[in-house]
Amino acid sequence: MSPERAEQIAVSALIWLSTNEDLLPLFLGASGAAAEDLRGLANSPAFLASVLEFITMDDAWVMAFCDAETIKYEEPLMARYALPGAEAVHWT
């Protein structure tokens, strides 16, 4: 997946998350971001990666987001790996 496509998915995820009354406060608490800063942070690939990391923590969230955006369930995680910071993941 290209970084550009990954950013598109992440921005869509941020928009979806910002309209979710249940998940938005959880994300803000976990990320330390303020609701009024989200628009400006949408230009940061690292912040967008954190949005995808948050959503991919729960299969139900992934499914809800993907169903709303009509994308495949594996795309948010693929997008996460295409954004900065994923290369630091080591499984051994």
Side-chain angles (χ1 to χ4, degrees), residues 3-86:
E4 294 80 17
R5 176 65 181 142
E7 285 188 27
Q8 290 172 344
I9 291 171
V11 168
S12 294
L14 178 59
I15 293 167
W16 175 82
L17 190 58
S18 70
T19 62
N20 188 309
E21 294 176 5
D22 295 325
L23 291 182
L24 181 60
L26 293 174
F27 173 71
L28 294 175
S31 68
E36 57 271 8
D37 297 332
L38 293 181
R39 183 170 291 199
L41 291 168
N43 294 320
S44 165
F47 181 76
L48 292 174
S50 74
V51 171
L52 293 173
E53 282 185 15
F54 178 80
I55 289 175
T56 57
M57 288 181 2
D58 188 301
D59 289 344
W61 302 346
V62 171
M63 292 171 65
F65 166 63
C66 291
D67 289 347
E69 294 297 314
T70 0
I71 62 173
K72 295 176 183 176
Y73 293 145
E74 62 269 11
E75 288 193 76
L77 190 57
M78 291 171 55
R80 171 57 196 108
Y81 288 135
L83 292 173

Side-chain angles (χ1 to χ4, degrees), residues 81 86 88-92:
Y81 288 135
V89 173
H90 297 284
W91 297 106
T92 58

